[in-house]
Amino acid sequence: MGRAVTVATCALNQWALDFEGNLERIVRSIAIARSKGARYRLGPELEICGYGCSDHYYESDTLLHSFQVLEKLLESPATQDIICDVGMPVLHRNVRYNCRVIFLNKKILLIRPKIALANAGNYRELRWFTPWSKARHVEEYFLPRIIQEVTGQETVPFGDAVLATKDTCLGAEMCEELWTPNSPHIAMGLDGVEIFTNSSGSHHVLRKAHTRVDLVNSATAKNGGIYIFANQKGCDGDRLYYDGCAMISMNGETVAQGSQFSLDDVEVLVATLDLEDVRSYRAEISSRNLAASKANPYPRVKVNFALSCPDDVAVPTCMPIQWRYHSPEEEISLGPACWLWDYLRRSKQAGFLLPLSGGIDSSATACIVYSMCHQVCLAVKNGNADVLADARRIVHDETYIPEDPREFCKRVFTTCYMASENSSQDTCNRAKLLAEQIGSYHINLNIDVAVKAVVGIFSMVTGRTPRFSVYGGSSRESLALQNVQARIRMVLAYLFAQLTLWARGMPGGLLVLGSANVDESLRGYLTKYDCSSADINPIGGISKTDLKNFIQYCIENFQLTALRSIMSAPPTAELEPLVDGQVAQTDEADMGMTYAELSIYGKLRKIAKAGPYSMFCKLINMWKEVCTPREVASKVKHFFRMYSVNRHKMTTLTPSYHAENYSPDDNRFDLRPFLYNTTWSWQFRCIDKQVSKLEKKEGISPVEDVD
């Protein structure tokens, strides 16, 4: 009687609509699983077509090509004698479902549709799919002719069922179903299912891995069992980075951990586990067994196949391990770097161009590119042939081997310091020194001629010449002159991105990188269509606080000493005239709030779902040691005025790596208006009334207006 089962799970870097590449990676993962003795292989959610197809799911082509790939998988010798569990969309009775298709030896065993769809934050599955609402119910699914010709089956089971093999019972979950309060694994476990599988499309957010790992382990802590988790990896065509973390857990403990960030397109995790450990674990949980005796049974699909061998007493099994988590600074170093690599190699460009100002944000962006170069060199050193081939294609050299990150950085990364008469020598020096230390090809240029030409056109047409406020101009004049500088930099960034390599006698063009952090976007502290406008932005979802910690991490781990002076300098846009040769303008003074305050506002606004009044109520307690209720009211009002005045800028925000759950990205994550009544009259009046009550209670004389 067999008891040691060998199972495999995968993290695959699938690309939306890349049916050719997706098929190759799926087959490769199955072959690796088989070579390691696995009898069951689990892949990520919607791995055949790619998770991020969005409205392409409406197209019949997506369904057709998914079945064509399934046909190839069924016919492949790699899929023989192993239960294969793959993800794809399926149309059943004219309803589109997100499904697992489970097959063995050219026979489809079960098509299991997703029961709970992800429909919050970045996810809109209810837009394209319908959840299967018939619990423990199975129907006949009529297979397309191309599949019938391979399997010899006319119909197969479709619905909420489990697989009963010769030695155990398996039940499938899909991504969101693990996160729901009444997860399917609860009822399946009570009905005797011993192995739970979860195919996922779960994206990276800073500090999220703990939650995911805890959910997987807790799925079997109370009920016993084996839990197999697969996940998408990489950028499949959008702002998200899917961060792998494939894992296998048993009885509440991790037994196998996959990587969270790597450049490997295919990662396969295999574990051998003892079914008797599950049964003995469950045996003494009296409350679980009482509930199990009353459980409603699942339809069982009988499978004439075993995951174990008859004589496996001497087969070694896996022991529990401690999960190794990355620090947030490591996550920033690795996640956006892997995302950039995917974007670079798949866009078929020759590198990146970054306007490098010498401040924290652009310097952090440069460090992420440098980290990407580190990851590429490390992957090549470890024998990753895919990364080597991509690197050679990017630099147009079939004999090239990236070994030194600084040397590779010189080939693929151009930095550009765009000085004006308002720029200080300090920021120029800091940018130049950092560029030298990371190895980028660095350009120094002055934009004053272009700025004067643009302003000169305005003066010639209107007969008026605008002045900065320090020279007697109005705030409107001063702001317009600052915006001209910022927008000229954007134009020059794209010009140099297109022609720098041409001027150097090299082929290809460069992708322009933006470097506005999530807090500045939330406040709207950026010029629309300025040098924050770019092709992609690796730090657009990261807070200023986390970026500062990341800079310190780079000082310590990459020995980038140039970052020390960057860390100590106050953040500044350097768009207003210098005073005695020194910077007089600072970001926090311009914004009227600190970056630390902005981060709190962002989390309360988005994560805590707080409007002006609710935010005020929460902050009078959070800040009671440092602010009076009146001061809190003034701060909250100022934030909401600035947020609503500048919200329109989010409609043109550069596509950014999603790393924070308070991101203001207007694309699909933060669905709010961009045209507001910026007086917030009703909301602010509620705050004023509450301030008056609090002050009266404290014996403070009421003031007419809180502001």
Side-chain angles (χ1 to χ4, degrees), residues 209-221:
H210 291 77
T211 304
R212 188 191 291 141
V213 173
D214 288 347
L215 280 171
V216 170
N217 284 333
S218 65
T220 57

Side-chain angles (χ1 to χ4, degrees), residues 353-357 414-419 431 440-445 492-493 496:
L353 181 138
L354 171 69
L356 184 61
S357 69
T414 298
T415 51
C416 184
Y417 182 81
M418 303 184 192
S440 65
Y441 180 83
H442 190 61
I443 300 169
N444 268 319
L445 60 88
L492 288 172
F496 276 79

Side-chain angles (χ1 to χ4, degrees), residues 256-516:
Q257 173 186 353
S259 64
Q260 187 174 12
F261 310 105
S262 83
L263 301 187
D264 296 334
D265 283 346
V266 176
E267 182 181 12
V268 180
L269 209 60
V270 177
T272 300
L273 302 162
D274 193 338
L275 291 172
E276 291 302 318
D277 287 340
V278 174
R279 293 157 189 166
S280 61
Y281 184 88
R282 288 177 171 177
E284 64 177 2
I285 308 176
S286 178
S287 58
R288 180 256 167 210
N289 296 333
L290 284 170
S293 68
K294 297 178 284 187
N296 293 325
Y298 276 79
R300 275 167 161 72
V301 177
K302 294 181 181 179
V303 184
N304 187 24
F305 188 76
L307 302 188
S308 61
C309 299
D311 186 14
D312 57 7
V313 175
V315 174
T317 56
C318 297
M319 302 301 291
I321 61 172
Q322 191 69 37
W323 189 279
R324 195 281 191 196
Y325 292 100
H326 292 286
S327 68
E329 295 75 34
E330 287 178 310
E331 291 186 75
I332 294 171
S333 177
L334 297 171
C338 293
W339 183 75
L340 283 179
W341 177 246
D342 273 355
Y343 207 102
L344 177 59
R345 67 194 180 109
R346 287 173 171 171
S347 65
K348 301 190 184 306
Q349 298 300 301
F352 299 112
L353 181 138
L354 171 69
L356 184 61
S357 69
I360 286 177
D361 293 338
S362 63
S363 298
T365 304
C367 290
I368 289 171
V369 177
Y370 184 57
S371 176
M372 181 201 79
C373 295
H374 262 275
Q375 297 308 307
V376 168
C377 292
L378 181 62
V380 170
K381 182 180 178 181
N382 291 335
N384 191 317
D386 293 333
V387 173
L388 177 59
D390 284 329
R392 286 174 169 173
R393 181 182 51 76
I394 289 167
V395 302
H396 297 90
D397 184 346
E398 290 302 315
T399 63
Y400 176 66
I401 300 177
E403 295 174 318
D404 175 31
R406 292 185 74 255
E407 188 274 334
F408 184 56
C409 198
K410 174 75 76 175
R411 289 174 178 255
V412 300
F413 190 31
T414 298
T415 51
C416 184
Y417 182 81
M418 303 184 192
S420 76
E421 61 185 6
N422 302 320
S423 302
S424 67
Q425 190 59 46
D426 288 342
T427 54
C428 178
N429 293 340
R430 289 198 292 266
K432 182 181 179 182
L433 183 57
L434 178 60
E436 289 174 355
Q437 291 186 356
I438 65 175
S440 65
Y441 180 83
H442 190 61
I443 300 169
N444 268 319
L445 60 88
N446 192 290
I447 66 171
D448 286 337
V449 174
V451 172
K452 288 175 182 175
V454 171
V455 175
I457 293 173
F458 177 84
S459 299
M460 182 176 63
V461 171
T462 65
R464 305 281 304 273
T465 300
R467 295 174 296 172
F468 284 104
S469 55
V470 295
Y471 300 139
S474 65
S475 59
R476 282 194 295 173
E477 295 170 66
S478 187
L479 186 59
L481 289 173
Q482 292 181 61
N483 288 343
V484 166
Q485 297 169 73
R487 289 180 173 127
I488 286 292
R489 285 174 172 145
M490 185 270 287
V491 172
L492 288 172
Y494 274 96
L495 177 65
F496 276 79
Q498 288 181 293
L499 295 179
T500 292
L501 296 183
W502 168 78
R504 295 168 62 189
M506 300 164 64
L510 303 173
L511 292 164
V512 179
L513 296 182
S515 58

Side-chain angles (χ1 to χ4, degrees), residues 57 155 194 213 219 436 472 475 503 514 561 588 617 635 669 672 705:
Y57 287 123
T155 64
E194 295 177 326
V213 173
E436 289 174 355
S475 59
T561 56
E588 291 185 334
C617 292
K635 286 175 179 287
F669 180 73
R672 297 167 195 248
D705 186 359

Side-chain angles (χ1 to χ4, degrees), residues 142-162:
F142 286 81
L143 292 169
R145 280 175 291 180
I146 60 171
I147 304 300
Q148 289 185 29
E149 291 170 2
V150 177
T151 67
Q153 300 166 289
E154 184 177 329
T155 64
V156 295
F158 185 103
D160 186 18
V162 297

